[in-house]
Amino acid sequence: MRVAPADERIVTRYIEDEMKESYLTYAMSVNTNRAIPDVRDGLKPSTRRILYAMGESGLVHNRPHDKCAAVVGEVMKNYHPHGDGPIYETLVGMAQDFAMRCPLIDGQGNFGCFTGDTEIKLLDGTEKSFEELAKLEPDEVFYVYSVDENGRVVIGEGLNARVTRRNARLIELTLDNGETIRCTPDHKFMLRDGTYRAAEHLTEDDSLMPGYLADLGFGNSEFGIKKTNPKSEIRNPKSRADVYDITVDKYHNFLLTSGVFVHNSIDDDPPGAMRYTEARLTEIAREMLVDIGKNTVDFQPNYKESTTEPKVLPAKLPNLLINGTTGIGVGYLTKIPPHNLGEIVDGAILLLENPDVSIDELIDIIPGPDFPTAGLIVGRDGIRDAYTIGKGSITIRARSVIERQKNGRERVIISEIPYQVKKNALLDRMYNLVENKTITGITDIRDESDKQIRIVVELRRGEISQVILNRLFKHTQMQVTYGAIMLCLVNGLPKVLNLKEMLWHYLEHRKEAIRRRTQFDLEQCRRREHMLEGYRIVLDKIDDVIQLIKGSESSAAAREQLMSTFNLSKEQTTAILDMALRQLTTLAQKDINEEYNNLQKRIASLEEILKNPARIQQIIKEELLELKTKYGDDRRTEIIDEIGDFHIEDLIADENMVITITHERYIKRIPVSTYQRQRRGGIGVRGMQMKSGDFVEHVFVASNHQYILFFTDRGKCYWLKVFEIPEAGRTSRGRPVVNMLRIEPDENITAFIPIREFDEEHYLFMATRKGIVKKCDLQQFSRPLSSGIIAINLKEDDKLIGVKLTDGSRDIFLVTRGGKSIRFKEDEVRSMGRTATGVKGIRLSKDDWVVEMDVAREEASILTVTENGYGKRTDISEHTLQKRGGKGLIAIKTTGRNGSVVGVKMVADGDELIVISSNGMVTRIALTDIKVISRNTQGVTIMALQPDEQVVDIARIAAIDDSESEELTELDESEN
């Protein structure tokens, strides 16, 4: 047993007590000094010290950048006794515009690029190396060739050529044109398809994006993409060299003289070493430090007591809510999301003017977080929880659109990703899901991002894009949950706050800062006032003063006599004795008097501010509005309603859409706003691009949440919401309807009905190939199933040929292939259930069948076309009413000349007829060119056919009068 020396003090304690006390001390130190932000300025100690050190070093927005290594060294030396790695990581984070809503650090320099002798093709026809361009001023612009998001060569603005890495490892690429390029292995080259690949991963099979300039002069010069495919050969030279980069802000790529475009990435790559990167404060960061020299905040000794540092910054900017923060302490986690500056300013002003404002009223102004990466916030409950109780779960989604390509395939374009999601990690997850067949139907995933996110997911033909998109939301980081915890330090202790409390603490901090600033300014003014009063006393008796000074034995004697004779203070007397003779001029005396009078007003104003809290509130309001005017921008993150288990309908506004369906059953929807108002005589807009033989057959307006009922020849009905129809441009064909419904391969769509409301006043009237008709209440079709429902129970070898929406009092018209027609009252058919077979509508002859069913209109005529190209129009009145189930009347003679009937339409003057032959020929005829003749005739030639050719189908193109076209294409001029 060791015997302790007499001077050694040993205290016996239970280890549990020692561990508890020591751990609590450590935990409190970590939480208050490292992990949790202060509610007043929204900063953790590390970020506060970096900003203060940079401000003290003069690294402001209008001064040149300095090496990050110098900043880190200054912070570590004087303020932050931790390693340089964490300090540099914190500094880099404050410069990332994808991490902070309003970055506080302006950084430059990141990745290595090319050797200094690598040349860039410039717009003026010259070719300059990186070394030559680096001699220019950083802000001096030079023009380069770039590629935009559409693959077109455009003009880019280059600037700030600089060394980004010293003595970097290089690789050498040899192009098939013989040119060689030396660059760092991680630099990315643009490929022909618009994607990018690092130099070290290029192979001879890769086709780089080439640049071909036919004429470098101005005027009629042309330039574009060369048709050849450069290949590359890579060698790894032993040499090292300094490497350079330039900045091309908008397009972020440029053309090398060697003939290829190169590109900088925005991926989650680590920053360059601090000795190569540079930084300075952004302009908005100065708002955090404003008036710090006016005793606005308390200071404390630094860790080695060699200088002082602020306990908190004045923070004119409400940084805590604008930029948010994340911190992990001991037993605590803080995760405050960023917000829109303008909204936070408006909310702070509302609370300033009305301290009793409710959180609901604040939420009306501050609807939710506003992330720098934009995206979509799904649902408002999580936001409300975070704002009311300080904790909430916020769902964030990527922004995506579905595009239809000319080849008929669709693709998903992702243009924004959720906050704090790394693009590379998202892509890797997508690749794995496709490779593991967790998600099928994806043929390709491409990263076409430059300075903006653009991920392209190509889909297999026939896939339902919305289903695949939902699976991506479910299985990838395209949808994430942000767990907001509004924890911060209040009076040095961690506390979870609601939105109102956070704004209140910020405003109280600003009130104190402005009060202390005003007191500081008042003291300075009073000191100056005291000096000016002494000047004024002396100047009023300047001759006596001069005589006194001249008669004094020494300056000390002169000081004493001045103080006693004119009742001056020591400070006044010293200032008077230090006055220059030029201050005795009349003009100088006038300036002193003017300054004194202005100072009196300034002092009165400052005293009024200190006496009147309302004046302080007004100053805060004015400063906040100034911040909003100077730095405010539009909201980036869109907030949408909760969609539950990916019910797409909740995301879609119930707005009117123009639905077009082609003869070959391609369908699409277009917003009504796409069609701008045009009066008669307008030049119109470009329409759909159709494949040969297809044409637009139906155009109607329906709202996004309406249904379209589709009926198949097997007697089944399928539903499709309008918003489920792919939205496409005017020139797009759309998508095949059969690919959007779960129909069998040999099942064909024969009719469709747009439904506004499943009411009790309408019916669906159906007819089959074998002459069976049936009427059902529309309400029977109000409960959709994705697999479809039975609309009519068909007999063997029968098919459904038509469905019409009626009101129960119309005349029904049936026409057969043999030229017979029947017209009967709809009320002769009672309403039946969905599974009923129906009743006989017309008695058919052997080998005859019904080819058309329609609802008779008194103003219409009947157009009948036969397979040999003949047809006629007959007045509806010639088709007299009969009883249901009769043989009917002759609609057209089906002689050997005419052949059988292939189509019948209800038409009117102004309509047009499309006739399609077996050889694929299409004829478009105005109905006014076809005369109205009697029923019992053979008709006239509609289409001239070849000997082996027959008419196989017809379609009616309805006329649209001026009022209808204006209703369809109207976009109120007041909105333009």
Side-chain angles (χ1 to χ4, degrees):
M1 182 174 180
R2 185 179 75 92
V3 178
D7 58 346
E8 182 175 315
R9 183 170 177 265
I10 298 177
V11 179
T12 302
R13 297 191 65 187
Y14 286 106
I15 190 170
E16 295 89 346
D17 295 338
E18 180 64 27
M19 289 289 292
K20 180 179 179 180
E21 182 177 319
S22 298
Y23 185 77
L24 286 176
T25 303
Y26 160 77
M28 185 57 67
S29 175
V30 169
N31 291 331
T32 58
N33 295 327
R34 298 179 67 175
I36 302 177
D38 193 292
V39 69
R40 295 170 291 179
D41 60 4
L43 299 174
K44 291 182 277 190
S46 57
T47 52
R48 184 181 303 115
R49 288 162 177 165
I50 290 172
L51 294 178
Y52 179 68
M54 294 182 70
E56 290 297 289
S57 300
L59 292 177
V60 293
H61 70 281
N62 53 2
R63 298 282 299 275
H65 294 77
D66 199 3
K67 292 292 184 182
C68 290
V71 176
V72 171
E74 179 68 17
V75 173
M76 187 167 55
K77 180 183 73 172
N78 287 324
Y79 307 110
H80 203 61
H82 302 284
D84 58 353
I87 298 174
Y88 183 48
E89 183 179 347
T90 302
L91 186 150
V92 170
M94 290 193 289
Q96 294 172 334
D97 58 3
F98 56 85
M100 301 192 75
R101 191 60 177 80
C102 297
L104 302 177
I105 300 293
D106 174 21
Q108 70 174 18
N110 191 22
F111 309 107
C113 285
F114 300 94
T115 55
D117 57 354
T118 306
E119 293 185 334
I120 300 175
K121 178 76 73 173
L122 301 182
L123 185 67
D124 60 6
T126 62
E127 300 170 356
K128 291 188 177 180
S129 68
F130 281 94
E131 288 179 335
E132 292 175 294
L133 293 172
K135 297 177 182 178
L136 302 176
E137 293 296 324
D139 295 332
E140 184 174 347
V141 175
F142 48 90
Y143 295 93
V144 299
Y145 294 100
S146 298
V147 176
D148 68 8
E149 62 273 13
N150 297 316
R152 298 172 301 188
V153 177
V154 294
I155 298 172
E157 292 188 355
L159 71 161
N160 195 21
R162 61 200 181 275
V163 175
T164 57
R165 194 178 302 174
R166 299 286 184 183
N167 196 30
R169 184 172 70 89
L170 302 175
I171 64 172
E172 184 175 283
L173 290 80
T174 302
L175 306 182
D176 61 359
N177 58 10
E179 295 284 343
T180 59
I181 301 173
R182 297 170 68 208
C183 63
T184 53
D186 57 352
H187 187 78
K188 295 188 177 182
F189 284 69
M190 184 180 289
L191 303 183
R192 285 292 296 267
D193 60 4
T195 60
Y196 308 98
R197 186 160 298 164
E200 61 187 344
H201 297 144
L202 290 173
T203 68
E204 290 188 355
D205 295 328
D206 288 320
S207 179
L208 302 180
M209 178 70 80
Y212 173 68
L213 304 177
D215 180 8
L216 293 180
F218 296 97
N220 296 323
S221 61
E222 296 180 357
F223 50 88
I225 302 300
K226 194 175 183 180
K227 301 301 181 184
T228 58
N229 295 325
K231 297 179 181 179
S232 62
E233 171 188 346
I234 301 179
R235 292 190 296 110
N236 288 305
K238 296 180 180 179
S239 62
R240 291 174 171 263
D242 296 345
V243 288
Y244 293 72
D245 192 13
I246 66 171
T247 298
V248 183
D249 278 336
K250 185 174 183 180
Y251 303 105
H252 225 250
N253 62 75
F254 53 92
L255 177 63
L256 297 179
T257 301
S258 55
V260 294
F261 285 89
V262 294
H263 182 73
N264 283 338
S265 169
I266 61 170
D267 296 336
D268 183 36
D269 299 309
M274 69 180 78
R275 59 185 181 275
Y276 302 132
T277 56
E278 298 178 342
R280 64 184 177 187
L281 294 177
T282 59
E283 186 173 4
I284 198 171
R286 290 290 297 164
E287 308 295 350
M288 298 293 295
L289 297 164
V290 66
D291 298 325
I292 197 169
K294 292 188 175 183
N295 194 34
T296 50
V297 294
D298 291 333
F299 278 69
Q300 63 187 4
N302 67 346
Y303 70 93
K304 59 181 180 180
E305 299 186 354
S306 62
T307 184
T308 58
E309 62 175 311
K311 292 181 178 181
V312 66
L313 297 185
K316 181 194 293 186
L317 181 76
N319 177 68
L320 181 62
L321 284 169
I322 290 174
N323 278 321
T325 188
T326 298
I328 301 176
V330 179
Y332 289 100
L333 171 64
T334 180
K335 202 170 184 182
I336 302 173
H339 291 77
N340 183 271
L341 187 151
E343 294 173 357
I344 294 299
V345 165
D346 292 341
I349 291 175
L350 177 62
L351 179 60
L352 187 69
E353 296 177 339
N354 180 15
D356 296 326
V357 65
S358 68
I359 294 180
D360 286 337
E361 291 174 300
L362 287 173
I363 292 177
D364 290 338
I365 294 178
I366 308 173
D370 188 23
F371 299 107
T373 53
L376 305 172
I377 293 178
V378 181
R380 294 176 168 81
D381 290 345
I383 299 173
R384 180 172 180 78
D385 289 343
Y387 288 173
T388 53
I389 63 176
K391 296 181 180 180
S393 181
I394 301 171
T395 301
I396 315 173
R397 267 191 173 187
R399 184 179 295 276
S400 60
V401 295
I402 298 172
E403 288 186 358
R404 181 169 184 85
Q405 304 176 79
K406 294 182 179 179
N407 60 9
R409 294 185 177 183
E410 292 187 332
R411 61 184 183 180
V412 177
I413 308 297
I414 302 166
S415 56
E416 298 169 1
I417 60 178
Y419 182 55
Q420 295 180 336
V421 169
K422 306 305 182 184
K423 186 184 66 174
N424 282 348
L426 175 62
L427 288 168
D428 289 342
R429 177 62 176 164
M430 288 182 177
Y431 295 145
N432 292 334
L433 290 171
V434 173
E435 183 178 352
N436 298 333
K437 301 188 182 302
T438 304
I439 297 179
T440 59
I442 295 177
T443 60
D444 189 23
I445 300 173
R446 297 195 309 276
D447 178 15
E448 297 183 358
S449 305
D450 45 30
K451 204 168 185 182
Q452 303 296 325
I453 295 291
R454 180 179 169 87
I455 299 173
V456 180
V457 181
E458 299 283 356
L459 307 184
R460 185 178 294 112
R461 189 186 302 275
E463 293 290 335
I464 300 177
S465 53
Q466 195 61 60
V467 173
I468 293 179
L469 183 57
N470 287 346
R471 290 174 181 167
L472 288 172
F473 285 138
K474 182 177 181 180
H475 295 289
T476 74
Q477 289 180 299
M478 284 182 63
Q479 176 166 309
V480 298
T481 298
Y482 184 96
I485 303 176
M486 315 292 267
L487 175 76
C488 45
L489 294 178
V490 180
N491 297 324
L493 297 175
K495 186 177 180 180
V496 175
L497 304 177
N498 60 36
L499 177 63
K500 181 177 179 180
E501 290 170 336
M502 297 181 84
L503 289 172
W504 185 85
H505 282 290
Y506 161 75
L507 292 173
E508 289 300 304
H509 173 57
R510 286 304 300 158
K511 289 177 183 177
E512 177 65 11
I514 291 173
R515 188 196 65 77
R516 294 177 62 161
R517 180 186 70 189
T518 304
Q519 184 66 45
F520 178 86
D521 289 340
L522 179 61
E523 292 172 359
Q524 294 295 106
C525 289
R526 283 174 174 167
R527 289 192 187 98
R528 182 59 180 168
E529 177 194 35
H530 185 60
M531 294 297 104
L532 293 177
E533 286 175 345
Y535 289 160
R536 286 162 56 87
I537 292 173
V538 169
L539 291 174
D540 285 342
K541 301 177 180 180
I542 188 63
D543 294 333
D544 295 339
V545 171
I546 293 174
Q547 188 65 33
L548 187 151
I549 294 173
K550 289 174 63 178
S552 300
E553 296 180 355
S554 64
S555 59
R559 179 179 294 106
E560 292 296 330
Q561 292 188 49
L562 285 172
M563 292 173 62
S564 60
T565 303
F566 299 102
N567 195 25
L568 298 175
S569 68
K570 184 177 180 180
E571 292 78 10
Q572 290 175 321
T573 306
T574 302
I576 291 169
L577 291 174
D578 292 338
M579 286 180 64
L581 292 176
R582 62 176 177 272
Q583 292 180 271
L584 301 179
T585 63
T586 303
L587 183 60
Q589 294 180 43
K590 181 180 179 181
D591 290 343
I592 289 173
N593 289 326
E594 184 176 348
E595 182 184 356
Y596 181 81
N597 293 331
N598 291 336
L599 204 57
Q600 290 291 308
K601 296 177 182 178
R602 171 68 172 156
I603 290 172
S605 175
L606 293 173
E607 289 175 340
E608 176 64 20
I609 292 173
L610 292 175
K611 294 177 183 177
N612 188 356
R615 286 290 306 276
I616 294 180
Q617 292 189 186
Q618 182 62 30
I619 292 172
I620 293 175
K621 180 179 179 180
E622 291 171 357
E623 291 182 347
L624 286 171
L625 290 175
E626 182 184 357
L627 287 174
K628 180 179 178 180
T629 302
K630 192 172 184 179
Y631 306 108
D633 59 2
D634 295 333
R635 165 171 280 276
R636 300 180 189 177
T637 302
E638 181 182 354
I639 303 174
I640 60 177
D641 290 332
E642 180 68 48
I643 59 176
D645 294 330
F646 302 116
H647 295 305
I648 306 303
E649 182 173 353
D650 295 335
L651 293 174
I652 307 299
D654 191 18
E655 59 184 358
N656 284 339
M657 308 294 289
V658 178
I659 311 300
T660 62
I661 302 179
T662 73
H663 185 71
E664 294 191 359
R665 296 301 185 257
Y666 279 79
I667 189 171
K668 71 174 181 179
R669 65 185 172 101
I670 311 172
V672 170
S673 58
T674 301
Y675 297 89
Q676 296 183 355
R677 177 195 294 266
Q678 291 192 349
R679 297 296 183 183
R680 183 183 292 108
I683 63 173
V685 294
R686 183 177 179 85
M688 296 173 64
Q689 293 182 348
M690 310 302 302
K691 74 174 186 179
S692 177
D694 198 10
F695 51 89
V696 176
E697 187 171 355
H698 303 280
V699 180
F700 56 92
V701 176
S703 69
N704 270 326
H705 290 185
Q706 288 183 11
Y707 285 101
I708 300 179
L709 304 183
F710 292 90
F711 297 86
T712 70
D713 55 0
R714 289 191 176 184
K716 294 189 70 175
C717 174
Y718 297 86
W719 285 259
L720 195 64
K721 278 291 186 78
V722 169
F723 68 78
E724 295 175 330
I725 301 169
E727 184 175 335
R730 290 194 310 267
T731 60
S732 170
R733 292 177 61 199
R735 184 175 179 180
V737 176
V738 294
N739 290 346
M740 305 178 66
L741 305 173
R742 294 175 58 181
I743 64 176
E744 299 296 328
D746 55 348
E747 196 173 5
N748 299 308
I749 295 173
T750 57
F752 64 90
I753 307 290
I755 300 296
R756 291 188 178 275
E757 184 179 357
F758 292 95
D759 55 32
E760 299 178 354
E761 301 173 357
H762 288 85
Y763 303 88
L764 291 175
F765 201 96
M766 311 173 203
T768 74
R769 178 184 171 94
K770 290 188 175 182
I772 302 299
V773 295
K774 173 184 170 181
K775 184 169 70 173
C776 288
D777 294 338
L778 180 59
Q779 280 189 326
Q780 297 186 48
F781 294 82
S782 62
R783 295 179 177 86
L785 292 175
S786 60
S787 57
I789 62 173
I790 296 174
I792 183 172
N793 187 18
L794 296 174
K795 295 181 179 180
E796 187 178 358
D797 297 331
D798 200 3
K799 293 183 178 181
L800 182 66
I801 60 99
V803 183
K804 296 294 181 181
L805 182 68
T806 72
D807 58 8
S809 61
R810 308 295 292 275
D811 291 351
I812 304 302
F813 191 76
L814 302 177
V815 182
T816 74
R817 178 176 172 78
K820 292 295 187 70
S821 68
I822 188 171
R823 178 183 178 186
F824 59 88
K825 287 288 187 182
E826 177 187 352
D827 57 14
E828 292 187 36
V829 181
R830 65 178 177 83
S831 180
M832 308 176 193
R834 286 192 298 104
T835 57
T837 301
V839 296
K840 185 175 291 186
I842 185 171
R843 190 187 314 165
L844 298 172
S845 302
K846 186 179 180 179
D847 299 329
D848 198 8
W849 63 82
V850 177
V851 295
E852 187 67 48
M853 184 270 289
D854 210 335
V855 176
R857 306 194 310 271
E858 290 301 327
E859 72 279 4
S861 58
I862 308 298
L863 171 69
T864 310
V865 178
T866 65
E867 61 187 2
N868 291 339
Y870 293 91
K872 67 175 183 179
R873 290 174 63 191
T874 305
D875 196 279
I876 188 68
S877 61
E878 293 203 22
H879 296 266
T880 57
L881 278 170
Q882 295 180 280
K883 290 292 183 180
R884 175 187 60 78
K887 288 186 176 181
L889 305 173
I890 295 175
I892 189 171
K893 291 183 177 180
T894 54
T895 61
R897 185 198 80 154
N898 281 1
S900 300
V901 175
V902 296
V904 179
K905 300 293 179 185
M906 288 278 178
V907 298
D909 290 340
D911 291 351
E912 292 184 328
L913 177 68
I914 300 291
V915 184
I916 305 171
S917 75
S918 57
N919 290 345
M921 302 301 293
V922 179
T923 299
R924 186 165 183 163
I925 306 168
L927 266 300
T928 53
D929 294 340
I930 304 175
K931 294 182 178 180
V932 178
I933 57 180
S934 64
R935 179 175 52 79
N936 193 16
T937 55
Q938 295 191 83
V940 298
T941 300
I942 300 296
M943 183 178 188
L945 302 173
Q946 299 297 323
D948 59 346
E949 191 177 18
Q950 289 185 329
V951 174
V952 294
D953 204 358
I954 66 171
R956 163 182 169 261
I957 306 298
I960 301 179
D961 61 27
D962 288 342
S963 62
E964 291 175 317
S965 63
E966 286 190 12
E967 180 181 354
L968 178 66
T969 63
E970 181 170 324
L971 178 66
D972 194 359
E973 294 173 359
S974 66
E975 298 178 3
N976 293 339

